[in-house]
Amino acid sequence: MQEILIIGAGMAATALTHELAGHANITLAEKSRGMGGRMSTRRSDALQFDHGAQFLTARSDEFKTFIDKALRAGWVAEWQPLVITLAADQKPYKRDWFEPHYVATPSMNALCKAQLRELEALRPELRIALGTEIATLTQEETGRWTATTKDGDRLGAFDQVISTAPPRQTEALFATTGFDALASLADASHLPCFSLMLGTAQPLELPFDLAVVKDSPVALIANNGSKPGRGSTQSLLVHADNGWAREHLEDEPEQVEEVLLAATESLTGIDRGALAYRALHRWRYAKTETALALDYLVDADRGLAACGDWCLGATVESAFLSGQRLGAMLRERLAG
Ligand SMILES: Cc1cc2nc3c(=O)[nH]c(=O)nc-3n(C[C@H](O)[C@H](O)[C@H](O)COP(=O)(O)OP(=O)(O)OC[C@H]3O[C@@H](n4cnc5c(N)ncnc54)[C@H](O)[C@@H]3O)c2cc1C
């Protein structure tokens, strides 16, 4: 069987691995300690924050089929939050959602983790290496790729290498490989974001579960405990406006935190004196700004490919479709 290296363990990598498992020996290398990528969760004692993606929607038949399976397995649940729109000096108004919204349970990172752990249990030829950042790819005379980690360890030699990292990170990984789609990769881009995590000493009593904010450095406020399956009811998640985040990306974290906290206080009436926990996370690559409108990028001669949300859109569903379609195409080739 061919040896395939998949870089990343987010939704694109999860869908890709699902398609390829059983058809190749797969090593999945993820730089962080957990799975899920930008479907991520931060924990601190009893507090829990989904500090990346807040929810999922499913519009394509392929993703609806996956979500149906995940609902049956208890990996996701429908979330029906009370949604309002907030703006300074304006009366809040309620917003309706016209399509189902889902969250992974008991935390956003649990969906990729559940799917990948299930595959790992069924398929001995799948190896998941967490805390493993791929730093360099070197082509051997045989045409195979040797992958070396940031710590200088040789991970192995691979017939194919697939990156699911955001485009700038994939560009860096593939810079010296001769990847023939490097120019296309340059067309895709992401906007940044900041996530402010606030934990209160007492359970939150708010007139909303999710607030969409207008004309503010803050774009969204989510009461994390209102999602199904969460234990903690004292966690508030604040996302910055992507445009504001771009302007303030290199500011001191303390300054960014202060602006977002002051805006949250004035929008919600929460007082910082009531906070038991606060933390800021900076996402350099959060939301796709320009997608390629291509399912994936592939250089078949060199055994290199790339996929991710940025191929098709800005959502978890885009990442899923990109990974699944690349996996289906490669599986056909492996079978042929
Ligand atoms: C703040 C925020 C809010 C969002 N809100 C929503 C939302 O409400 N709904 C929605 O549908 N989408 C939302 N999104 C977008 C959604 O999270 C993404 O579209 C989706 O998760 C992307 O999945 P992916 O697999 O393409 O990439 P990622 O999840 O980014 O996965 C790529 C993985 O590659 C790993 N990696 C990178 N470089 C290396 C390396 N050299 N070696 C090893 N591993 C590496 C990374 O650690 C990461 O885990 C949000 C994103 C953010 C950040």
Side-chain angles (χ1 to χ4, degrees):
M1 281 211 276
Q2 281 213 353
E3 296 288 336
I4 298 184
L5 172 63
I6 296 176
I7 299 172
M11 182 46 82
T14 301
L16 176 65
T17 305
H18 184 260
E19 292 302 312
L20 289 176
H23 300 273
N25 290 322
I26 299 172
T27 300
L28 199 139
E30 166 56 55
K31 70 177 172 184
S32 56
R33 282 173 290 133
M35 301 172 221
R38 278 171 277 155
M39 295 177 71
S40 55
T41 304
R42 171 91 58 99
R43 288 187 177 78
S44 172
D45 297 326
L47 298 173
Q48 174 184 316
F49 304 89
D50 296 326
H51 68 311
Q54 289 306 299
F55 50 76
L56 328 170
T57 51
R59 295 176 186 175
S60 62
D61 288 344
E62 298 100 307
F63 196 50
K64 279 181 185 164
T65 301
F66 175 66
I67 291 297
D68 282 346
K69 170 190 159 174
L71 280 165
R72 285 196 302 278
W75 299 345
V76 299
E78 191 174 345
W79 184 36
Q80 295 177 329
L82 172 59
V83 187
I84 64 166
T85 297
L86 288 177
D89 305 326
Q90 277 185 33
K91 212 165 163 255
Y93 60 92
K94 191 170 167 294
R95 279 167 71 114
D96 287 322
W97 264 349
F98 298 103
E99 62 182 326
H101 287 60
Y102 305 96
V103 294
T105 56
S107 52
M108 281 309 264
N109 64 341
L111 179 56
C112 294
K113 188 174 168 185
Q115 175 68 96
L116 288 171
R117 288 294 184 217
E118 182 183 87
L119 290 170
E120 193 183 35
L122 291 170
R123 302 287 184 188
E125 57 286 345
L126 169 61
R127 173 168 67 125
I128 300 176
L130 298 176
T132 304
E133 179 169 350
I134 304 301
T136 55
L137 297 166
T138 318
Q139 197 164 27
E140 299 169 359
E141 279 181 14
T142 58
R144 293 179 118 203
W145 294 98
T146 292
T148 308
T149 70
K150 197 176 158 209
D151 299 329
D153 299 325
R154 183 181 180 278
L155 191 66
F158 302 92
D159 301 295
Q160 302 202 46
V161 178
I162 303 164
S163 173
T164 70
R168 295 296 79 76
Q169 294 173 339
T170 296
E171 250 173 4
L173 276 166
F174 285 177
T176 56
T177 60
F179 184 51
D180 69 4
L182 267 184
S184 301
L185 205 48
D187 292 337
S189 61
H190 276 102
L191 289 164
C193 190
F194 291 100
S195 298
L196 177 62
M197 292 157 269
L198 302 175
T200 52
Q202 299 299 324
L204 282 158
E205 286 180 23
L206 292 168
F208 62 85
D209 297 324
L210 185 74
V212 178
V213 185
K214 302 278 176 212
D215 307 324
S216 165
V218 168
L220 189 127
I221 306 174
N223 182 352
N224 210 84
S226 68
K227 297 179 179 179
R230 272 64 180 167
S232 155
T233 54
Q234 288 145 256
S235 327
L236 200 68
L237 195 283
V238 179
H239 278 329
D241 173 75
N242 295 114
W244 186 88
R246 176 153 61 186
E247 278 171 36
H248 297 273
L249 189 62
E250 306 301 340
D251 286 5
E252 291 298 325
E254 296 76 17
Q255 286 170 358
V256 172
E257 186 173 318
E258 178 53 37
V259 173
L260 296 178
L261 180 56
T264 304
E265 285 183 305
S266 102
L267 287 159
T268 63
I270 288 175
D271 185 277
R272 66 182 71 198
L275 298 177
Y277 174 86
R278 50 196 254 203
L280 185 79
H281 181 86
R282 182 178 74 166
W283 298 96
R284 187 173 286 280
Y285 308 111
K287 181 180 179 185
T288 304
E289 181 181 28
T290 312
L292 297 183
L294 294 170
D295 287 340
Y296 45 75
L297 296 175
V298 67
D299 180 343
D301 290 343
R302 289 186 178 80
L304 297 172
C307 64
D309 59 349
W310 47 274
C311 287
L312 288 168
T315 61
V316 172
E317 180 170 15
S318 325
F320 173 89
L321 291 174
S322 177
Q324 191 196 47
R325 289 172 186 174
L326 176 60
M329 185 276 288
L330 292 175
R331 195 187 58 226
E332 293 276 305
R333 275 200 198 164
L334 289 169

